[in-house]
Amino acid sequence: MEEIEMEMEIGTESGLDRVAMVEFFIHSAELLQVSAIVKYSAFSFFVDRFFPSLPTFIEAGGTSSSSWLLRPLTQNTFHLFALISLWISTKIHYSRPLSVASFKSLANSSIKEHHFTTRNFLEAEVLFMQVLNFEIGTANIAFFFLQELWVQFKGVAKVGELISIEVCMDIMDLLYEKEEMSVHFRSPKSLAASILVGYLICNHGP
């Protein structure tokens, strides 16, 4: 309960709009033309883990918790961290990750109210990793399970050939916008199954 209250307080103090935050993330991923695995790994880092862990990190009161990036928290700051999550994800999944210059260029064109330097990006990356406790595993994310279930379903049922993985990903994007759905991302297997079943019911009947 305390964590939820702190999360709400962060949103209030920073004027955070969750829908706008997610829309910025999705738009940035599209502009950068990253792969689906990069996008959803970064989504997991940013929305599933960074945002919920930030109140506890700040409350702990370590040196980095007083960073200018967190005092005060603003929508622009969260947009920067969204780009950081994508940057880290490209480092994990690409043999040649996107350069900091490409993210800085996107920030300059998309975040009009603040000019972030290369140094700012490097500072934000370290802070982001600290909030995640340097744990950046990507095996336990909903997209992996959705993709796996989709492949299995195609192999055992004819209707599986009619399932659009792109539409399933669109559904996942919409769910990320809903704050009340955030708890379900902690059970990625169940969430992936729910998306697939929901798609089948809506498009092909019971």
Side-chain angles (χ1 to χ4, degrees):
M1 177 65 74
E2 289 181 2
E3 181 176 328
I4 294 174
E5 289 176 351
M6 283 192 67
E7 189 169 322
M8 291 176 64
E9 286 175 6
I10 283 181
T12 301
E13 292 175 3
S14 62
L16 175 63
D17 182 335
R18 183 186 180 89
V19 174
M21 180 178 72
V22 172
E23 286 179 347
F24 175 86
F25 179 97
I26 294 172
H27 184 59
S28 297
E30 291 174 349
L31 290 176
L32 292 166
Q33 298 183 323
V34 297
S35 64
I37 187 57
V38 166
K39 173 183 174 181
Y40 289 107
S41 293
F43 237 149
S44 181
F45 293 153
F46 182 51
V47 180
D48 299 350
R49 298 181 55 202
F50 177 80
F51 188 69
S53 299
L54 191 55
T56 302
F57 180 80
I58 294 174
E59 188 180 47
T63 303
S64 295
S65 67
S66 60
S67 167
W68 68 271
L69 289 167
L70 302 179
R71 307 287 183 179
L73 283 163
T74 66
Q75 191 81 33
N76 291 336
T77 307
F78 280 106
H79 286 171
L80 173 62
F81 285 127
L83 295 179
I84 292 296
S85 69
L86 285 164
W87 187 26
I88 292 172
S89 188
T90 67
K91 292 182 181 183
I92 296 172
H93 296 291
Y94 288 166
S95 58
R96 291 185 177 180
L98 298 180
S99 68
V100 65
S102 61
F103 288 95
K104 183 176 177 298
S105 176
L106 179 56
N108 289 342
S109 61
S110 301
I111 308 174
K112 302 294 187 180
E113 299 83 2
H114 196 109
H115 176 74
F116 291 108
T117 66
T118 299
R119 182 186 176 110
N120 295 157
F121 268 85
L122 298 176
E123 291 175 1
E125 181 187 27
V126 172
L127 181 56
F128 190 95
M129 293 290 288
Q130 288 176 330
V131 174
L132 266 58
N133 200 28
F134 295 92
E135 296 174 359
I136 53 173
T138 60
N140 195 38
I141 63 174
F143 174 73
F144 272 124
F145 297 116
L146 176 63
Q147 196 173 42
E148 183 179 301
L149 288 171
W150 175 62
V151 171
Q152 291 176 357
F153 205 89
K154 287 178 66 178
V156 299
K158 190 171 183 179
V159 70
E161 298 176 0
L162 303 176
I163 298 174
S164 168
I165 189 66
E166 288 77 16
V167 173
C168 289
M169 289 190 290
D170 287 341
I171 294 172
M172 190 179 296
D173 289 352
L174 291 172
L175 291 177
Y176 265 114
E177 293 182 1
K178 307 297 182 182
E179 190 165 2
E180 62 271 18
M181 285 295 297
S182 61
V183 65
H184 296 290
F185 283 92
R186 298 171 190 173
S187 303
K189 288 185 179 180
S190 299
L191 180 63
S194 298
I195 291 173
L196 196 59
V197 170
Y199 174 88
L200 288 172
I201 291 176
C202 291
N203 290 275
H204 303 288

